[in-house]
Amino acid sequence: MQRSAKSQRQQESRMVYNTASALVCVALNLTCLLLYRNFMTIEMITKEDLEVFRQTLLNDIRTLISPSQTETKEWLRCADVRKILKVSTATVQNLRISGKLKSHKVNGIYFYNRADIERMIHETTG
């Protein structure tokens, strides 16, 4: 009698253990399913979305590439001076040699002060 009560308790404890194990497995499966669902959220992208993205990207690239209107360099190279004065390289060289346009030579490159160029323009025009 004692043996059967003991075996009945063992059988009951196995049933509780199996039920608990089954519940844990169900809980783990639900957790995995929820995690998988959160990672696999799908968003539909339409042609209009792509067009908006393209326009935004192009505008951003244009602003990065275009020179800033507020940016002015104090020291200019010969090419910059040629564009401002609309003259040739030889003319810039002649202005430098004659002393009409001051320059500073750094590592073999002549630099011209913007203020000196503007002063020379005002003197000649006016």
Side-chain angles (χ1 to χ4, degrees), residues 73-96 100-104 109-118 120-121:
K73 295 188 275 184
E74 182 180 353
W75 293 96
L76 306 171
R77 298 177 85 163
C78 181
D80 300 323
V81 175
R82 282 188 0 243
K83 287 178 188 174
I84 292 171
L85 299 177
K86 297 182 177 125
V87 296
S88 68
T89 305
T91 304
V92 174
Q93 181 179 4
N94 287 336
L95 290 170
R96 182 183 72 239
K100 293 180 182 176
L101 186 59
K102 290 184 188 178
S103 67
H104 297 280
I109 300 172
Y110 288 99
F111 288 93
Y112 305 89
N113 191 325
R114 180 179 291 276
D116 292 340
I117 295 168
E118 290 172 0
M120 186 188 74
I121 292 171

Side-chain angles (χ1 to χ4, degrees), residues 54-86:
R54 185 181 76 83
Q55 289 297 329
T56 305
L57 187 62
L58 286 173
N59 289 336
D60 290 346
I61 290 172
R62 282 188 193 116
T63 56
L64 289 173
I65 291 175
S66 68
S68 170
Q69 297 297 334
T70 59
E71 178 184 330
T72 56
K73 295 188 275 184
E74 182 180 353
W75 293 96
L76 306 171
R77 298 177 85 163
C78 181
D80 300 323
V81 175
R82 282 188 0 243
K83 287 178 188 174
I84 292 171
L85 299 177
K86 297 182 177 125

Side-chain angles (χ1 to χ4, degrees), residues 15-33:
M15 284 176 44
V16 169
Y17 176 77
N18 288 341
T19 304
S21 295
L23 288 174
V24 167
C25 287
V26 168
L28 286 174
N29 285 335
L30 285 174
T31 304
C32 289
L33 181 64

